[in-house]
Short mmCIF file of all heavy atoms in Angstrom, two decimals:
data_model
loop_
_atom_site.label_atom_id
_atom_site.label_comp_id
_atom_site.label_asym_id
_atom_site.label_seq_id
_atom_site.Cartn_x
_atom_site.Cartn_y
_atom_site.Cartn_z
N MET A 1 -14.03 5.85 0.42
CA MET A 1 -13.02 5.26 1.28
C MET A 1 -13.22 3.75 1.34
O MET A 1 -14.35 3.27 1.28
CB MET A 1 -13.12 5.85 2.67
CG MET A 1 -12.84 7.33 2.76
SD MET A 1 -11.22 7.77 2.16
CE MET A 1 -10.31 7.68 3.64
N PRO A 2 -12.13 3.03 1.49
CA PRO A 2 -12.26 1.57 1.55
C PRO A 2 -13.02 1.11 2.78
O PRO A 2 -12.87 1.68 3.84
CB PRO A 2 -10.81 1.07 1.59
CG PRO A 2 -9.93 2.24 1.53
CD PRO A 2 -10.76 3.48 1.55
N ASP A 3 -13.79 0.08 2.62
CA ASP A 3 -14.43 -0.53 3.78
C ASP A 3 -13.94 -1.96 3.93
O ASP A 3 -14.47 -2.72 4.70
CB ASP A 3 -15.96 -0.46 3.66
CG ASP A 3 -16.48 -1.16 2.42
OD1 ASP A 3 -15.66 -1.59 1.57
OD2 ASP A 3 -17.70 -1.27 2.28
N ARG A 4 -12.92 -2.31 3.17
CA ARG A 4 -12.30 -3.64 3.25
C ARG A 4 -10.89 -3.45 3.80
O ARG A 4 -10.26 -2.43 3.56
CB ARG A 4 -12.28 -4.30 1.87
CG ARG A 4 -13.67 -4.45 1.29
CD ARG A 4 -13.67 -5.19 0.02
NE ARG A 4 -13.20 -4.34 -1.07
CZ ARG A 4 -12.86 -4.77 -2.27
NH1 ARG A 4 -12.92 -6.04 -2.54
NH2 ARG A 4 -12.47 -3.94 -3.19
N PRO A 5 -10.36 -4.46 4.52
CA PRO A 5 -9.02 -4.32 5.09
C PRO A 5 -7.94 -4.14 4.01
O PRO A 5 -7.85 -4.93 3.07
CB PRO A 5 -8.81 -5.65 5.83
CG PRO A 5 -10.16 -6.25 6.01
CD PRO A 5 -11.00 -5.72 4.88
N VAL A 6 -7.16 -3.08 4.16
CA VAL A 6 -6.05 -2.78 3.25
C VAL A 6 -4.77 -2.85 4.08
O VAL A 6 -4.65 -2.19 5.10
CB VAL A 6 -6.18 -1.40 2.60
CG1 VAL A 6 -4.99 -1.11 1.71
CG2 VAL A 6 -7.48 -1.29 1.82
N THR A 7 -3.82 -3.68 3.62
CA THR A 7 -2.54 -3.82 4.30
C THR A 7 -1.40 -3.57 3.31
O THR A 7 -1.42 -4.11 2.20
CB THR A 7 -2.38 -5.25 4.88
OG1 THR A 7 -3.49 -5.52 5.73
CG2 THR A 7 -1.09 -5.40 5.64
N VAL A 8 -0.45 -2.75 3.73
CA VAL A 8 0.77 -2.53 2.95
C VAL A 8 1.91 -3.09 3.79
O VAL A 8 2.19 -2.61 4.90
CB VAL A 8 0.98 -1.04 2.63
CG1 VAL A 8 2.26 -0.85 1.83
CG2 VAL A 8 -0.22 -0.47 1.89
N GLN A 9 2.55 -4.13 3.26
CA GLN A 9 3.62 -4.83 3.98
C GLN A 9 4.90 -3.97 4.04
O GLN A 9 5.05 -3.05 3.25
CB GLN A 9 3.91 -6.16 3.31
CG GLN A 9 2.75 -7.12 3.31
CD GLN A 9 2.34 -7.52 4.71
OE1 GLN A 9 3.16 -7.75 5.60
NE2 GLN A 9 1.04 -7.57 4.95
N PRO A 10 5.85 -4.31 4.92
CA PRO A 10 7.11 -3.59 4.97
C PRO A 10 7.86 -3.76 3.65
O PRO A 10 7.57 -4.70 2.88
CB PRO A 10 7.87 -4.27 6.09
CG PRO A 10 6.86 -5.00 6.90
CD PRO A 10 5.75 -5.34 5.94
N PRO A 11 8.83 -2.88 3.38
CA PRO A 11 9.61 -3.02 2.14
C PRO A 11 10.27 -4.39 2.05
O PRO A 11 10.76 -4.93 3.05
CB PRO A 11 10.67 -1.93 2.26
CG PRO A 11 10.05 -0.90 3.15
CD PRO A 11 9.24 -1.70 4.14
N SER A 12 10.28 -4.95 0.85
CA SER A 12 10.94 -6.25 0.63
C SER A 12 12.44 -6.03 0.56
O SER A 12 12.91 -4.90 0.42
CB SER A 12 10.44 -6.87 -0.67
OG SER A 12 10.98 -6.18 -1.79
N PRO A 13 13.22 -7.08 0.66
CA PRO A 13 14.68 -6.95 0.61
C PRO A 13 15.18 -6.31 -0.69
O PRO A 13 16.24 -5.71 -0.74
CB PRO A 13 15.18 -8.40 0.72
CG PRO A 13 14.10 -9.12 1.45
CD PRO A 13 12.81 -8.47 0.98
N THR A 14 14.38 -6.42 -1.76
CA THR A 14 14.78 -5.82 -3.03
C THR A 14 14.06 -4.53 -3.34
O THR A 14 14.24 -3.95 -4.42
CB THR A 14 14.55 -6.82 -4.19
OG1 THR A 14 13.18 -7.20 -4.18
CG2 THR A 14 15.43 -8.07 -4.02
N GLY A 15 13.20 -4.09 -2.42
CA GLY A 15 12.42 -2.87 -2.61
C GLY A 15 11.00 -3.15 -3.01
O GLY A 15 10.67 -4.24 -3.46
N GLY A 16 10.13 -2.19 -2.78
CA GLY A 16 8.71 -2.36 -3.05
C GLY A 16 8.01 -2.94 -1.86
O GLY A 16 8.62 -3.54 -0.96
N ARG A 17 6.69 -2.75 -1.83
CA ARG A 17 5.86 -3.22 -0.71
C ARG A 17 4.62 -3.91 -1.25
O ARG A 17 3.94 -3.40 -2.13
CB ARG A 17 5.44 -2.03 0.15
CG ARG A 17 6.66 -1.31 0.72
CD ARG A 17 6.27 -0.10 1.50
NE ARG A 17 5.69 -0.50 2.77
CZ ARG A 17 5.49 0.34 3.77
NH1 ARG A 17 5.81 1.60 3.65
NH2 ARG A 17 4.98 -0.08 4.91
N ARG A 18 4.35 -5.09 -0.73
CA ARG A 18 3.19 -5.87 -1.15
C ARG A 18 1.92 -5.23 -0.60
O ARG A 18 1.86 -4.86 0.57
CB ARG A 18 3.29 -7.30 -0.63
CG ARG A 18 2.29 -8.23 -1.23
CD ARG A 18 2.70 -9.62 -1.04
NE ARG A 18 4.05 -9.69 -1.64
CZ ARG A 18 4.66 -10.81 -1.96
NH1 ARG A 18 4.10 -11.95 -1.75
NH2 ARG A 18 5.84 -10.79 -2.50
N VAL A 19 0.91 -5.10 -1.45
CA VAL A 19 -0.38 -4.49 -1.08
C VAL A 19 -1.44 -5.57 -1.12
O VAL A 19 -1.57 -6.32 -2.11
CB VAL A 19 -0.75 -3.35 -2.06
CG1 VAL A 19 -2.10 -2.74 -1.67
CG2 VAL A 19 0.34 -2.29 -2.08
N ARG A 20 -2.24 -5.66 -0.03
CA ARG A 20 -3.32 -6.65 0.05
C ARG A 20 -4.63 -5.96 0.40
O ARG A 20 -4.64 -5.01 1.17
CB ARG A 20 -3.05 -7.65 1.18
CG ARG A 20 -1.86 -8.54 0.95
CD ARG A 20 -1.66 -9.42 2.18
NE ARG A 20 -0.47 -10.21 2.08
CZ ARG A 20 -0.45 -11.49 1.73
NH1 ARG A 20 -1.57 -12.13 1.48
NH2 ARG A 20 0.69 -12.13 1.65
N VAL A 21 -5.72 -6.46 -0.18
CA VAL A 21 -7.07 -6.05 0.19
C VAL A 21 -7.84 -7.33 0.47
O VAL A 21 -7.83 -8.24 -0.36
CB VAL A 21 -7.75 -5.23 -0.92
CG1 VAL A 21 -9.20 -4.99 -0.57
CG2 VAL A 21 -7.04 -3.92 -1.15
N ASP A 22 -8.45 -7.40 1.65
CA ASP A 22 -9.18 -8.62 2.05
C ASP A 22 -8.27 -9.86 1.96
O ASP A 22 -8.74 -10.94 1.60
CB ASP A 22 -10.43 -8.84 1.19
CG ASP A 22 -11.57 -7.93 1.56
OD1 ASP A 22 -11.58 -7.40 2.69
OD2 ASP A 22 -12.45 -7.74 0.71
N GLY A 23 -6.99 -9.70 2.21
CA GLY A 23 -6.07 -10.81 2.16
C GLY A 23 -5.57 -11.15 0.78
O GLY A 23 -4.64 -11.96 0.63
N GLU A 24 -6.15 -10.57 -0.25
CA GLU A 24 -5.72 -10.84 -1.64
C GLU A 24 -4.59 -9.89 -2.01
O GLU A 24 -4.70 -8.68 -1.87
CB GLU A 24 -6.89 -10.63 -2.59
CG GLU A 24 -6.51 -10.86 -4.05
CD GLU A 24 -7.66 -10.56 -4.98
OE1 GLU A 24 -8.81 -10.44 -4.55
OE2 GLU A 24 -7.38 -10.40 -6.19
N ILE A 25 -3.50 -10.45 -2.55
CA ILE A 25 -2.38 -9.64 -3.00
C ILE A 25 -2.76 -8.92 -4.28
O ILE A 25 -3.16 -9.55 -5.26
CB ILE A 25 -1.13 -10.50 -3.21
CG1 ILE A 25 -0.67 -11.12 -1.90
CG2 ILE A 25 0.01 -9.64 -3.80
CD1 ILE A 25 0.43 -12.16 -2.07
N LEU A 26 -2.64 -7.58 -4.26
CA LEU A 26 -2.94 -6.78 -5.45
C LEU A 26 -1.70 -6.52 -6.28
O LEU A 26 -1.78 -6.29 -7.48
CB LEU A 26 -3.57 -5.45 -5.04
CG LEU A 26 -4.87 -5.52 -4.26
CD1 LEU A 26 -5.39 -4.12 -4.00
CD2 LEU A 26 -5.90 -6.36 -5.00
N GLY A 27 -0.54 -6.50 -5.64
CA GLY A 27 0.70 -6.26 -6.37
C GLY A 27 1.79 -5.72 -5.46
O GLY A 27 1.61 -5.59 -4.26
N LEU A 28 2.92 -5.42 -6.08
CA LEU A 28 4.07 -4.86 -5.39
C LEU A 28 4.17 -3.39 -5.75
O LEU A 28 4.39 -3.04 -6.91
CB LEU A 28 5.34 -5.61 -5.80
CG LEU A 28 6.60 -5.33 -5.02
CD1 LEU A 28 6.43 -5.74 -3.56
CD2 LEU A 28 7.78 -6.06 -5.63
N ALA A 29 3.97 -2.52 -4.75
CA ALA A 29 3.99 -1.07 -4.96
C ALA A 29 5.37 -0.52 -4.68
O ALA A 29 6.06 -0.97 -3.76
CB ALA A 29 2.96 -0.41 -4.05
N TYR A 30 5.76 0.47 -5.46
CA TYR A 30 7.05 1.13 -5.29
C TYR A 30 6.88 2.58 -4.85
O TYR A 30 7.86 3.28 -4.62
CB TYR A 30 7.87 1.05 -6.57
CG TYR A 30 8.34 -0.35 -6.82
CD1 TYR A 30 7.58 -1.23 -7.61
CD2 TYR A 30 9.50 -0.84 -6.23
CE1 TYR A 30 7.99 -2.53 -7.81
CE2 TYR A 30 9.91 -2.14 -6.43
CZ TYR A 30 9.16 -2.97 -7.23
OH TYR A 30 9.57 -4.29 -7.43
N ASN A 31 5.61 3.02 -4.73
CA ASN A 31 5.33 4.38 -4.26
C ASN A 31 3.82 4.46 -3.94
O ASN A 31 3.06 3.53 -4.20
CB ASN A 31 5.75 5.44 -5.28
CG ASN A 31 5.15 5.18 -6.65
OD1 ASN A 31 3.95 4.98 -6.78
ND2 ASN A 31 5.99 5.17 -7.68
N VAL A 32 3.42 5.59 -3.38
CA VAL A 32 2.02 5.79 -2.98
C VAL A 32 1.10 5.76 -4.19
O VAL A 32 -0.03 5.26 -4.11
CB VAL A 32 1.90 7.11 -2.19
CG1 VAL A 32 0.44 7.47 -1.95
CG2 VAL A 32 2.64 7.01 -0.86
N ALA A 33 1.55 6.29 -5.31
CA ALA A 33 0.72 6.28 -6.52
C ALA A 33 0.40 4.84 -6.95
O ALA A 33 -0.72 4.56 -7.41
CB ALA A 33 1.40 7.04 -7.66
N ASP A 34 1.35 3.91 -6.78
CA ASP A 34 1.09 2.51 -7.09
C ASP A 34 -0.01 1.96 -6.19
O ASP A 34 -0.91 1.25 -6.65
CB ASP A 34 2.35 1.66 -6.92
CG ASP A 34 3.41 1.88 -7.97
OD1 ASP A 34 3.12 2.51 -9.00
OD2 ASP A 34 4.55 1.40 -7.76
N VAL A 35 0.05 2.28 -4.88
CA VAL A 35 -0.98 1.82 -3.96
C VAL A 35 -2.33 2.34 -4.38
O VAL A 35 -3.31 1.59 -4.45
CB VAL A 35 -0.66 2.24 -2.51
CG1 VAL A 35 -1.79 1.84 -1.57
CG2 VAL A 35 0.65 1.65 -2.03
N ALA A 36 -2.42 3.65 -4.71
CA ALA A 36 -3.68 4.23 -5.14
C ALA A 36 -4.21 3.54 -6.41
O ALA A 36 -5.42 3.29 -6.51
CB ALA A 36 -3.50 5.73 -5.40
N GLU A 37 -3.34 3.20 -7.33
CA GLU A 37 -3.76 2.53 -8.55
C GLU A 37 -4.26 1.11 -8.26
O GLU A 37 -5.28 0.68 -8.80
CB GLU A 37 -2.62 2.49 -9.57
CG GLU A 37 -2.94 1.74 -10.84
CD GLU A 37 -4.10 2.31 -11.65
OE1 GLU A 37 -4.50 3.48 -11.44
OE2 GLU A 37 -4.62 1.58 -12.53
N PHE A 38 -3.56 0.36 -7.40
CA PHE A 38 -4.03 -0.97 -7.03
C PHE A 38 -5.41 -0.90 -6.38
O PHE A 38 -6.29 -1.71 -6.68
CB PHE A 38 -3.06 -1.66 -6.09
CG PHE A 38 -1.75 -2.05 -6.70
CD1 PHE A 38 -0.59 -2.02 -5.95
CD2 PHE A 38 -1.64 -2.44 -8.03
CE1 PHE A 38 0.63 -2.39 -6.49
CE2 PHE A 38 -0.41 -2.79 -8.58
CZ PHE A 38 0.72 -2.76 -7.81
N LEU A 39 -5.60 0.08 -5.50
CA LEU A 39 -6.89 0.25 -4.85
C LEU A 39 -7.98 0.63 -5.84
O LEU A 39 -9.11 0.13 -5.77
CB LEU A 39 -6.81 1.28 -3.72
CG LEU A 39 -5.89 0.90 -2.55
CD1 LEU A 39 -5.87 2.02 -1.53
CD2 LEU A 39 -6.31 -0.41 -1.92
N ARG A 40 -7.64 1.48 -6.80
CA ARG A 40 -8.61 1.86 -7.85
C ARG A 40 -9.06 0.63 -8.62
O ARG A 40 -10.25 0.43 -8.85
CB ARG A 40 -7.99 2.89 -8.80
CG ARG A 40 -9.00 3.40 -9.85
CD ARG A 40 -8.33 4.17 -10.95
NE ARG A 40 -7.45 3.35 -11.79
CZ ARG A 40 -7.87 2.47 -12.70
NH1 ARG A 40 -9.14 2.26 -12.89
NH2 ARG A 40 -7.01 1.77 -13.41
N ARG A 41 -8.10 -0.22 -8.99
CA ARG A 41 -8.44 -1.44 -9.73
C ARG A 41 -9.29 -2.39 -8.92
O ARG A 41 -10.05 -3.18 -9.48
CB ARG A 41 -7.15 -2.16 -10.17
CG ARG A 41 -6.38 -1.40 -11.23
CD ARG A 41 -5.12 -2.12 -11.58
NE ARG A 41 -4.29 -1.32 -12.46
CZ ARG A 41 -3.10 -1.71 -12.89
NH1 ARG A 41 -2.60 -2.89 -12.53
NH2 ARG A 41 -2.39 -0.93 -13.68
N ALA A 42 -9.17 -2.31 -7.59
CA ALA A 42 -9.97 -3.16 -6.70
C ALA A 42 -11.31 -2.52 -6.39
O ALA A 42 -12.09 -3.06 -5.60
CB ALA A 42 -9.20 -3.44 -5.42
N GLY A 43 -11.59 -1.36 -6.99
CA GLY A 43 -12.86 -0.69 -6.77
C GLY A 43 -12.88 0.24 -5.57
O GLY A 43 -13.94 0.63 -5.11
N LEU A 44 -11.71 0.59 -5.06
CA LEU A 44 -11.60 1.48 -3.90
C LEU A 44 -10.90 2.77 -4.31
O LEU A 44 -9.70 2.91 -4.17
CB LEU A 44 -10.80 0.79 -2.79
CG LEU A 44 -11.32 -0.57 -2.35
CD1 LEU A 44 -10.31 -1.27 -1.45
CD2 LEU A 44 -12.65 -0.44 -1.65
N ASP A 45 -11.67 3.69 -4.86
CA ASP A 45 -11.07 4.94 -5.37
C ASP A 45 -10.54 5.81 -4.25
O ASP A 45 -11.28 6.23 -3.36
CB ASP A 45 -12.14 5.74 -6.15
CG ASP A 45 -12.05 5.51 -7.63
OD1 ASP A 45 -10.99 5.02 -8.09
OD2 ASP A 45 -13.03 5.80 -8.34
N MET A 46 -9.23 6.04 -4.30
CA MET A 46 -8.55 6.94 -3.36
C MET A 46 -7.47 7.68 -4.12
O MET A 46 -6.77 7.08 -4.93
CB MET A 46 -7.91 6.16 -2.21
CG MET A 46 -8.88 5.50 -1.28
SD MET A 46 -8.03 4.64 0.06
CE MET A 46 -7.64 6.01 1.12
N GLU A 47 -7.32 8.95 -3.83
CA GLU A 47 -6.21 9.73 -4.38
C GLU A 47 -4.96 9.41 -3.59
O GLU A 47 -5.05 9.03 -2.41
CB GLU A 47 -6.54 11.21 -4.30
CG GLU A 47 -7.73 11.65 -5.12
CD GLU A 47 -7.52 11.43 -6.60
OE1 GLU A 47 -6.40 11.64 -7.10
OE2 GLU A 47 -8.49 11.03 -7.28
N PRO A 48 -3.77 9.58 -4.20
CA PRO A 48 -2.53 9.30 -3.49
C PRO A 48 -2.42 10.03 -2.14
O PRO A 48 -1.97 9.44 -1.14
CB PRO A 48 -1.43 9.74 -4.44
CG PRO A 48 -2.05 9.51 -5.79
CD PRO A 48 -3.50 9.87 -5.62
N GLU A 49 -2.88 11.29 -2.09
CA GLU A 49 -2.79 12.02 -0.81
C GLU A 49 -3.73 11.42 0.24
O GLU A 49 -3.47 11.50 1.44
CB GLU A 49 -3.04 13.50 -0.98
CG GLU A 49 -4.34 13.85 -1.66
CD GLU A 49 -4.27 13.90 -3.18
OE1 GLU A 49 -3.28 13.50 -3.81
OE2 GLU A 49 -5.26 14.36 -3.77
N ASP A 50 -4.82 10.79 -0.20
CA ASP A 50 -5.71 10.11 0.73
C ASP A 50 -5.12 8.80 1.24
O ASP A 50 -5.34 8.42 2.39
CB ASP A 50 -7.07 9.82 0.07
CG ASP A 50 -7.80 11.08 -0.34
OD1 ASP A 50 -7.61 12.14 0.31
OD2 ASP A 50 -8.55 11.03 -1.33
N VAL A 51 -4.37 8.15 0.37
CA VAL A 51 -3.73 6.89 0.76
C VAL A 51 -2.79 7.09 1.94
O VAL A 51 -2.79 6.34 2.90
CB VAL A 51 -2.96 6.28 -0.45
CG1 VAL A 51 -2.06 5.13 -0.01
CG2 VAL A 51 -3.93 5.82 -1.53
N THR A 52 -1.98 8.14 1.89
CA THR A 52 -0.99 8.36 2.95
C THR A 52 -1.64 8.72 4.29
O THR A 52 -1.07 8.43 5.33
CB THR A 52 0.02 9.46 2.56
OG1 THR A 52 -0.68 10.68 2.38
CG2 THR A 52 0.79 9.09 1.31
N ALA A 53 -2.81 9.32 4.27
CA ALA A 53 -3.44 9.78 5.50
C ALA A 53 -4.56 8.88 6.01
O ALA A 53 -5.06 9.09 7.10
CB ALA A 53 -3.98 11.19 5.27
N SER A 54 -4.95 7.88 5.24
CA SER A 54 -6.10 7.08 5.60
C SER A 54 -5.84 6.18 6.81
O SER A 54 -4.88 5.39 6.81
CB SER A 54 -6.53 6.18 4.42
OG SER A 54 -7.60 5.34 4.84
N PRO A 55 -6.69 6.27 7.82
CA PRO A 55 -6.57 5.36 8.97
C PRO A 55 -7.03 3.94 8.64
O PRO A 55 -6.85 3.03 9.42
CB PRO A 55 -7.48 6.00 10.03
CG PRO A 55 -8.50 6.73 9.24
CD PRO A 55 -7.81 7.20 8.00
N LEU A 56 -7.60 3.77 7.45
CA LEU A 56 -8.10 2.45 7.03
C LEU A 56 -7.02 1.58 6.39
O LEU A 56 -7.27 0.43 6.10
CB LEU A 56 -9.27 2.64 6.07
CG LEU A 56 -10.42 3.45 6.67
CD1 LEU A 56 -11.47 3.72 5.59
CD2 LEU A 56 -11.04 2.73 7.85
N ILE A 57 -5.84 2.17 6.17
CA ILE A 57 -4.75 1.40 5.59
C ILE A 57 -3.75 1.08 6.68
O ILE A 57 -3.27 1.97 7.40
CB ILE A 57 -4.06 2.17 4.43
CG1 ILE A 57 -5.07 2.40 3.32
CG2 ILE A 57 -2.84 1.43 3.93
CD1 ILE A 57 -4.55 3.23 2.16
N ASP A 58 -3.42 -0.19 6.81
CA ASP A 58 -2.48 -0.67 7.82
C ASP A 58 -1.09 -0.72 7.19
O ASP A 58 -0.82 -1.61 6.37
CB ASP A 58 -2.92 -2.05 8.30
CG ASP A 58 -2.00 -2.61 9.39
OD1 ASP A 58 -1.14 -1.88 9.90
OD2 ASP A 58 -2.17 -3.80 9.71
N TRP A 59 -0.26 0.25 7.54
CA TRP A 59 1.13 0.32 7.03
C TRP A 59 1.98 -0.51 7.99
O TRP A 59 2.25 -0.09 9.11
CB TRP A 59 1.61 1.76 6.99
CG TRP A 59 0.86 2.58 6.01
CD1 TRP A 59 -0.25 3.33 6.26
CD2 TRP A 59 1.15 2.74 4.63
NE1 TRP A 59 -0.68 3.94 5.11
CE2 TRP A 59 0.16 3.61 4.09
CE3 TRP A 59 2.13 2.25 3.77
CZ2 TRP A 59 0.14 3.97 2.75
CZ3 TRP A 59 2.11 2.62 2.45
CH2 TRP A 59 1.13 3.47 1.95
N ARG A 60 2.42 -1.67 7.55
CA ARG A 60 3.19 -2.59 8.41
C ARG A 60 4.67 -2.19 8.43
O ARG A 60 5.25 -1.92 7.38
CB ARG A 60 3.05 -4.02 7.93
CG ARG A 60 1.65 -4.53 7.90
CD ARG A 60 1.23 -5.03 9.27
NE ARG A 60 -0.17 -5.38 9.33
CZ ARG A 60 -0.65 -6.61 9.25
NH1 ARG A 60 0.16 -7.61 9.03
NH2 ARG A 60 -1.93 -6.81 9.36
N GLY A 61 5.23 -2.20 9.61
CA GLY A 61 6.67 -1.96 9.76
C GLY A 61 7.05 -0.50 9.73
O GLY A 61 7.56 0.03 10.70
N VAL A 62 6.79 0.17 8.62
CA VAL A 62 7.11 1.58 8.45
C VAL A 62 5.97 2.27 7.70
O VAL A 62 5.11 1.62 7.12
CB VAL A 62 8.43 1.78 7.67
CG1 VAL A 62 9.64 1.28 8.47
CG2 VAL A 62 8.39 1.08 6.33
N GLY A 63 5.97 3.60 7.71
CA GLY A 63 4.91 4.36 7.10
C GLY A 63 5.06 4.51 5.58
O GLY A 63 5.97 3.94 4.97
N PRO A 64 4.19 5.33 5.00
CA PRO A 64 4.14 5.47 3.54
C PRO A 64 5.33 6.21 2.93
O PRO A 64 5.45 6.28 1.71
CB PRO A 64 2.84 6.24 3.31
CG PRO A 64 2.56 6.94 4.58
CD PRO A 64 3.13 6.08 5.66
N GLU A 65 6.23 6.71 3.73
CA GLU A 65 7.40 7.40 3.22
C GLU A 65 8.57 6.45 2.88
O GLU A 65 9.57 6.87 2.32
CB GLU A 65 7.85 8.51 4.19
CG GLU A 65 8.33 8.01 5.52
CD GLU A 65 7.21 7.67 6.51
OE1 GLU A 65 6.01 7.88 6.23
OE2 GLU A 65 7.56 7.14 7.58
N HIS A 66 8.44 5.17 3.22
CA HIS A 66 9.52 4.20 3.00
C HIS A 66 9.15 3.19 1.93
O HIS A 66 8.14 2.51 2.07
CB HIS A 66 9.84 3.46 4.32
CG HIS A 66 10.32 4.36 5.41
ND1 HIS A 66 11.61 4.85 5.44
CD2 HIS A 66 9.69 4.87 6.48
CE1 HIS A 66 11.74 5.62 6.51
NE2 HIS A 66 10.58 5.66 7.15
N TRP A 67 9.99 3.05 0.91
CA TRP A 67 9.71 2.13 -0.20
C TRP A 67 10.88 1.26 -0.58
O TRP A 67 10.72 0.24 -1.22
CB TRP A 67 9.24 2.92 -1.43
CG TRP A 67 7.96 3.58 -1.09
CD1 TRP A 67 7.78 4.85 -0.64
CD2 TRP A 67 6.67 2.99 -1.10
NE1 TRP A 67 6.46 5.09 -0.37
CE2 TRP A 67 5.76 3.95 -0.66
CE3 TRP A 67 6.21 1.73 -1.47
CZ2 TRP A 67 4.40 3.69 -0.55
CZ3 TRP A 67 4.85 1.49 -1.37
CH2 TRP A 67 3.96 2.47 -0.91
N GLY A 68 12.09 1.62 -0.19
CA GLY A 68 13.28 0.85 -0.56
C GLY A 68 13.48 -0.33 0.36
O GLY A 68 12.75 -0.54 1.32
N PRO A 69 14.49 -1.12 0.08
CA PRO A 69 14.80 -2.28 0.91
C PRO A 69 15.28 -1.81 2.29
O PRO A 69 15.80 -0.72 2.46
CB PRO A 69 15.91 -3.00 0.17
CG PRO A 69 16.52 -1.95 -0.70
CD PRO A 69 15.40 -0.99 -1.04
N GLU A 70 15.03 -2.63 3.28
CA GLU A 70 15.50 -2.36 4.63
C GLU A 70 17.03 -2.40 4.66
O GLU A 70 17.63 -3.30 4.06
CB GLU A 70 14.95 -3.40 5.61
CG GLU A 70 13.46 -3.36 5.78
CD GLU A 70 13.00 -2.18 6.61
OE1 GLU A 70 13.64 -1.87 7.62
OE2 GLU A 70 12.01 -1.57 6.23
N THR A 71 17.65 -1.45 5.28
CA THR A 71 19.13 -1.40 5.31
C THR A 71 19.69 -1.90 6.62
O THR A 71 20.87 -2.14 6.73
CB THR A 71 19.62 0.04 5.07
OG1 THR A 71 19.13 0.86 6.12
CG2 THR A 71 19.18 0.56 3.72
N GLY A 72 18.85 -1.98 7.66
CA GLY A 72 19.32 -2.42 8.94
C GLY A 72 19.98 -1.32 9.73
O GLY A 72 20.51 -1.54 10.82
N THR A 73 19.98 -0.08 9.21
CA THR A 73 20.58 1.04 9.97
C THR A 73 19.52 1.99 10.43
O THR A 73 18.43 2.01 9.98
CB THR A 73 21.57 1.81 9.10
OG1 THR A 73 20.89 2.31 7.93
CG2 THR A 73 22.74 0.94 8.71
#
């Protein structure tokens, strides 16, 4: 499990969510599998099902079920 701060930003206006570890941007994720891959590359091995349930990941704005652009509705 990660011991470094992991933040997933709200969906961007064009879709996708920015993923950060220790303040460093790892990339723009379009699904939970993308987040798991970014974390793996950063040395934080987590399975996609662990990503969605981990209390160590700060999901900003909305949870892991939202990936598209905000619609305002």
Side-chain angles (χ1 to χ4, degrees):
M1 296 301 268
D3 59 353
R4 300 185 284 167
V6 178
T7 304
V8 180
Q9 298 297 320
S12 73
T14 57
R17 300 176 73 166
R18 191 162 304 196
V19 179
R20 295 177 184 258
V21 173
D22 284 338
E24 178 184 345
I25 297 171
L26 300 182
L28 190 63
Y30 290 93
N31 54 51
V32 171
D34 289 348
V35 176
E37 177 61 17
F38 291 147
L39 295 178
R40 184 192 67 73
R41 291 178 187 178
L44 305 169
D45 264 341
M46 292 181 78
E47 296 297 322
E49 55 272 10
D50 297 331
V51 168
T52 62
S54 176
L56 302 174
I57 297 176
D58 182 10
W59 295 91
R60 301 277 172 99
V62 294
E65 65 279 355
H66 298 283
W67 296 95
E70 295 286 318
T71 61
T73 58

